[in-house]
Amino acid sequence: ARLAVLDYEHACPLLAESFRIDPATGTLLALAICHERQGQVSIALDEYREVTRRAEAEGRSDRVEAARQR
């Protein structure tokens, strides 16, 4: 079985739109990862910082750790 190649050029705008409609922290984390892999490091860093802030407030230590590791 072949692994699907991720198309960040199309995925990132879809994640951004999803986050706009429903600003969930998990979606923001996925968007940050997408931007990082797309090479948009400064945008991703800002998003990771926001994920950390929000996840701490939500008591989601798993997301705090995931954002800090990235």
Side-chain angles (χ1 to χ4, degrees), residues 17-56:
E17 179 64 8
S18 177
F19 183 72
R20 186 191 67 76
I21 293 168
D22 180 15
T25 304
T27 304
L28 183 58
L29 178 57
L31 182 58
I33 292 167
C34 193
H35 282 141
E36 178 185 0
R37 292 184 178 164
Q38 203 176 34
Q40 297 182 20
V41 178
S42 65
I43 292 170
L45 283 173
D46 287 342
E47 290 165 340
Y48 286 130
R49 288 183 186 113
E50 180 64 12
V51 167
T52 300
R53 187 191 66 74
R54 291 170 59 137
E56 284 173 342

